[in-house]
Amino acid sequence: MEKLIELFRKKMTGPLPVFERELERKINWNARLISVRGSRGTGKTTLFLQHIKKTFSNNLNKVLYVNLDNIYFSNNTLVELAEKFASRGGTHLFIDEVYKYENWSKEIKNLYDDFPELHIAFTGSSLLEILNGRADLSRRTLVYELTGLSFREYLSLIKAHDFPIFTKEQRADFRRNRIKNQAV
């Protein structure tokens, strides 16, 4: 476990992109079980690391980020890791790439049931993997989807400017006003 903590702390000292995805603001980070799914390369890992850095930078002992693709999980279970982490006062566990770990849904269900003090967030690439896992997580998990960049996000990234989000009603009002002004 010490090696995983060391790897996590190293990630926290390195630079992270400044650009923040819109989904980061929409996620209910206070929920006990969160799933973020999305295609490869959409930024799930970056989303987690940015949130951790922003929220826990003054108290990294309360949080741990792990990638289930790590060799550590060849000989150790996720449950064992969570037990050790919780016994040290850990409260937030961020788990990346769950689909790479054989019994991930059962173990996450066990963590949810057995460690009520633990908040768990995990990433996966498919909603079917999450909802049809061997253990029923669908009633326990808040599922969010991280898609590719929207055009607004792309412009925000390229221009380093935060473009506002408009509701459908606001866009319709804008169009009506534009048409009305053109008619004059």
Side-chain angles (χ1 to χ4, degrees):
M1 180 170 143
E2 299 307 319
K3 186 66 175 169
L4 292 176
I5 292 171
E6 182 183 323
L7 289 170
F8 163 61
R9 297 272 170 91
K10 189 175 182 180
K11 286 183 188 313
M12 289 293 97
T13 60
L16 287 171
V18 175
F19 178 73
E20 196 173 275
R21 298 294 304 272
E22 182 62 32
L23 183 63
E24 203 278 333
R25 295 179 216 136
K26 292 180 179 178
I27 293 175
N28 176 4
W29 293 104
N30 294 319
R32 284 203 44 234
L33 190 58
I34 297 167
S35 169
V36 176
R37 70 179 183 115
S39 299
R40 286 189 205 174
T42 55
K44 298 178 299 293
T45 300
T46 301
L47 177 83
F48 274 8
L49 295 175
Q50 284 175 325
H51 175 73
I52 292 167
K53 201 167 201 174
K54 183 169 84 173
T55 308
F56 298 97
S57 61
N58 293 331
N59 199 355
L60 289 179
N61 293 328
K62 295 282 184 188
V63 63
L64 179 61
Y65 163 89
V66 296
N67 187 320
L68 291 186
D69 198 21
N70 190 290
I71 194 76
Y72 172 89
F73 294 103
S74 314
N75 299 319
N76 300 280
T77 68
L78 184 55
V79 171
E80 290 168 342
L81 172 75
E83 285 173 349
K84 290 176 188 173
F85 177 61
S87 72
R88 294 176 166 198
T91 59
H92 290 76
L93 183 59
F94 290 82
I95 306 166
D96 209 355
E97 300 194 41
V98 293
Y99 58 91
K100 303 233 176 165
Y101 185 80
E102 190 175 337
N103 292 317
W104 67 268
S105 61
K106 281 185 178 180
E107 290 197 34
I108 288 176
K109 180 192 175 296
N110 288 339
L111 297 180
Y112 181 87
D113 293 341
D114 298 340
F115 297 93
E117 72 280 10
L118 203 56
H119 293 257
I120 303 161
F122 63 94
T123 68
S125 61
S126 168
L127 180 61
L128 288 176
E129 291 171 355
I130 294 163
L131 297 180
N132 293 335
R134 292 185 184 178
D136 183 17
L137 295 175
S138 62
R139 293 175 291 126
R140 296 168 173 86
T141 310
L142 289 180
V143 179
Y144 297 91
E145 169 127 22
L146 186 62
T147 59
L149 289 176
S150 69
F151 185 61
R152 187 194 59 76
E153 285 179 313
Y154 170 75
L155 286 176
S156 295
L157 176 63
I158 297 301
K159 298 295 183 184
H161 177 75
D162 192 18
F163 293 97
I165 297 174
F166 294 103
T167 65
K168 287 181 184 179
E169 294 80 21
Q170 289 171 318
R171 289 193 303 261
D173 287 346
F174 175 78
R175 285 188 199 108
R176 277 192 295 275
N177 289 334
R178 196 168 121 206
I179 291 168
K180 189 167 59 172
N181 290 337
Q182 287 175 349
V184 172

